[in-house]
Amino acid sequence: MKKLIKFLFLLVVFTTIIAAGVALWGYQVLQQTLHQPLQIEEPVTLDVVPGTSPARLFADLQQRQWLERGQLLRRYWQWQTPEAVLQVGEYPLQPGDSAQDLLVRLQRGEVVQRTVTLVEGWTFRQFRAALARAERLGQTLPTEMTDAETMVALGLDGHPEGWFFPDTYQYILGMTDRDILLRAHRRMQQVLEQAWAQRAEDLPIKSPYEALILASIIERETGVPHERGEIAGVFSRRLKIGMRLQTDPTVIYGMGDSYQGRIRRADLRQPTPYNTYVIDGLPPTPIAMPGREAIEAAVNPQPGSSLYFVARGDGSHTFSDNLRDHNRAVRKYQIEQRAENYRSSPPPTPRENAR
């Protein structure tokens, strides 16, 4: 009996030693695997596309010969983060990074964040062109699609102009132009709703959409932020007394592709739905994408008495209360300083002079 007990004791000791040895060996292999440097000689990005599983990812890395023992890393990943989901995106890798560095980035979802900027005052066509140029942004809305077809593809109604908020948007690999436009649309709805809720009393505009139209004109009329409120005041006063807006950006928008950088007198007389030299009130839709400041100016115009303004040539304007002062400003800034008689806000028509 004593011999049996001694044998069992020795067997347990021997088994324990072997198990400890195996565990130590396994630990050393794991540490070597985790601390192995990635076999890359220059900075690269690892793309994790939608549907990628950890098993496939580590198998691909081993197949590329970027690391060894990919199956062990997969099991370690599943043991350490049993409920983790691989974040889709681009993971930046540098020479000298280890397999463990990669695992940490995968666990944290440290993907490359790219940006695309949609500028205030741009048209929907310019927005789409910017998205088409955006690096590694998925393209689901071909540029040959019409505006109406694009809106259908987005699941939206109506004319697109004005309805997408200009801003800088972040995106990651796997996102698309559709994602950005829908985010911009939601943002514009929020901004417009907030501004309309804080609008001034006695406005000549009767709906949030009219505010969006007016804001788009304000946005296109000035490159000087502090003038937005004053320009909004001019347009609001004109709308109240029935004067035509007579603003060049609406003419340009109505000309479409025929605009070649210059407005002729004949263009000012050419009827289009957007030519505010020949139509009363606002055009039927916005003419660009206004920013928050232009929208807020449209619903809270600056008080005053000016009815005219003329561009000085530096992006700013001179404002006038009457036609005589306006014509004097036109001569100073548009005629004497230029060979061509271009006016940002020409004198009113004879019909307006009578008012």
Side-chain angles (χ1 to χ4, degrees):
M1 186 66 179
K2 290 182 178 180
K3 289 182 179 181
L4 178 59
I5 293 174
K6 183 177 181 181
F7 172 77
L8 292 174
F9 174 76
L10 292 175
L11 181 61
V12 170
V13 171
F14 181 71
T15 303
T16 302
I17 293 174
I18 292 176
V22 170
L24 179 61
W25 173 82
Y27 175 78
Q28 291 175 339
V29 171
L30 177 60
Q31 291 302 308
Q32 291 173 357
T33 302
L34 291 173
H35 290 91
Q36 64 175 306
L38 299 178
Q39 300 302 307
I40 55 176
E41 298 180 352
E42 59 184 14
V44 298
T45 56
L46 172 64
D47 292 350
V48 176
V49 299
T52 301
S53 66
R56 178 172 180 178
L57 174 65
F58 291 116
D60 287 346
L61 290 173
Q62 183 166 335
Q63 186 175 9
R64 295 185 197 180
Q65 298 183 340
W66 284 9
L67 51 73
E68 298 177 349
R69 294 184 287 276
Q71 189 174 19
L72 178 58
L73 287 170
R74 175 182 66 82
R75 290 177 178 173
Y76 179 77
W77 164 276
Q78 292 175 329
W79 172 58
Q80 286 287 93
T81 54
E83 298 181 357
V85 177
L86 280 176
Q87 168 70 52
V88 171
E90 303 168 81
Y91 291 84
L93 303 176
Q94 300 288 335
D97 285 347
S98 67
Q100 188 168 39
D101 294 329
L102 171 59
L103 288 175
V104 170
R105 292 195 183 101
L106 291 172
Q107 291 167 355
R108 295 176 178 174
E110 295 178 353
V111 297
V112 174
Q113 295 276 352
R114 299 184 184 275
T115 61
V116 57
T117 299
L118 306 178
V119 179
E120 296 172 348
W122 275 5
T123 63
F124 186 59
R125 177 182 295 186
Q126 289 173 304
F127 269 30
R128 291 183 61 192
L131 293 175
R133 295 190 301 267
E135 186 178 13
R136 307 213 72 182
L137 179 65
Q139 302 297 320
T140 64
L141 305 169
T143 54
E144 59 268 19
M145 290 178 69
T146 66
D147 287 350
E149 290 170 341
T150 302
M151 291 295 279
V152 170
L154 292 171
L156 303 175
D157 298 322
H159 194 277
E161 204 68 80
W163 275 117
F164 300 87
F165 191 73
D167 204 349
T168 295
Y169 294 91
Q170 290 188 332
Y171 64 94
I172 62 174
L173 183 69
M175 293 185 65
T176 69
D177 48 1
R178 187 177 188 275
D179 297 324
I180 300 296
L181 284 175
L182 288 176
R183 198 191 314 172
H185 184 263
R186 289 192 296 269
R187 184 70 176 136
M188 180 60 82
Q189 288 180 308
Q190 294 169 355
V191 171
L192 184 59
E193 180 181 351
Q194 292 168 359
W196 186 251
Q198 299 174 3
R199 66 189 182 278
E201 297 180 356
D202 193 29
L203 290 176
I205 50 178
K206 304 305 180 184
S207 69
Y209 190 58
E210 288 189 354
L212 192 64
I213 295 173
L214 181 56
S216 73
I217 300 174
I218 296 167
E219 190 69 77
R220 291 290 296 162
E221 269 289 6
T222 182
V224 181
H226 71 264
E227 286 189 348
R228 291 190 180 106
E230 194 166 3
I231 286 178
V234 170
F235 288 148
S236 293
R237 285 185 286 275
R238 283 194 167 206
L239 289 171
K240 284 182 179 180
I241 64 176
M243 289 178 65
R244 289 176 178 166
L245 295 183
Q246 291 193 322
T247 169
D248 293 350
T250 63
V251 177
I252 293 170
Y253 189 83
M255 291 173 66
D257 293 336
S258 66
Y259 176 69
Q260 299 298 320
R262 181 172 175 267
I263 300 177
R264 302 167 301 174
R265 289 188 180 275
D267 297 324
L268 300 181
R269 296 190 294 268
Q270 181 65 39
T272 76
Y274 292 89
N275 186 349
T276 53
Y277 287 86
V278 299
I279 67 169
D280 296 327
L282 295 168
T285 74
I287 62 170
M289 307 295 180
R292 178 188 293 274
E293 291 78 8
I295 295 173
E296 292 176 346
V299 298
N300 286 283
Q302 183 174 318
S305 56
S306 57
L307 288 172
Y308 309 92
F309 59 90
V310 62
R312 295 177 177 177
D314 61 357
S316 65
H317 297 80
T318 291
F319 294 84
S320 304
D321 291 357
N322 55 65
L323 182 59
R324 181 192 59 194
D325 291 343
H326 174 68
N327 285 336
R328 186 181 297 118
V330 168
R331 286 192 295 272
K332 178 178 180 180
Y333 293 108
Q334 300 294 337
I335 299 177
E336 295 175 3
Q337 294 184 9
R338 294 187 185 183
E340 298 179 359
N341 185 11
Y342 168 87
R343 295 173 176 176
S344 175
S345 181
T349 63
R351 182 178 69 85
E352 291 172 346
N353 279 333
R355 292 182 182 272

